[in-house]
Amino acid sequence: MARRDLTGAVDFAYLEDFAAGDTGVVDEVLALFREQANLWSAMLDPTSEGWLDAVHTIKGAARGVGAFQLGDACEVAEQQGAVRLESVRIALQAALSDVAAYAHERALQSLKTPRG
């Protein structure tokens, strides 16, 4: 995966601007987002008591990293109920795929950058 694999599910320019260009902060925020996504995914089940809390948490985190489509899907689920959880799961996977592609591209760039 590389930047060419990005779908637009995450606005990385937004995140980079928000982090004032500090790539270390961007990498750390995206790593935390990926870790937390594992916890959230398990809660995106209509039979889970915490699905609404999970959706609300995902919404804030998503908007913080620039995954605005995911944030919007969460907002719809908050308003319309558990019937919209599949949309949240799909948007979360799209965001995670973009994060993986972005991270892969950054790793490739670091290998190409001469160390002085």
Side-chain angles (χ1 to χ4, degrees):
M1 263 185 201
R3 188 172 286 264
R4 67 183 174 275
D5 298 318
L6 296 178
T7 67
V10 179
D11 182 347
F12 293 103
Y14 167 84
L15 179 58
E16 290 165 354
D17 286 346
F18 187 75
D22 187 331
T23 57
V25 170
V26 170
D27 292 343
E28 186 175 340
V29 166
L30 291 176
L32 288 170
F33 182 80
R34 288 165 71 168
E35 288 175 26
Q36 292 297 308
N38 290 328
L39 299 173
W40 302 327
S41 294
M43 297 175 70
L44 295 178
D45 179 334
T47 62
S48 171
E49 285 185 33
W51 76 262
L52 186 57
D53 291 334
V55 166
H56 185 74
T57 301
I58 295 167
K59 178 178 74 173
R63 289 181 172 161
V65 300
F68 300 113
Q69 295 168 358
L70 174 56
D72 292 347
C74 290
E75 186 169 342
V76 170
E78 284 180 316
Q79 295 168 355
Q80 296 181 8
V83 297
R84 295 297 186 178
L85 285 178
E86 184 62 21
S87 296
V88 173
R89 281 191 289 274
I90 291 168
L92 178 58
Q93 286 308 310
L96 289 172
S97 292
D98 268 17
V99 169
Y102 179 87
H104 181 76
E105 178 68 20
R106 298 242 320 112
L108 290 175
Q109 288 175 352
S110 73
L111 293 174
K112 294 176 185 176
T113 303
R115 309 233 175 207

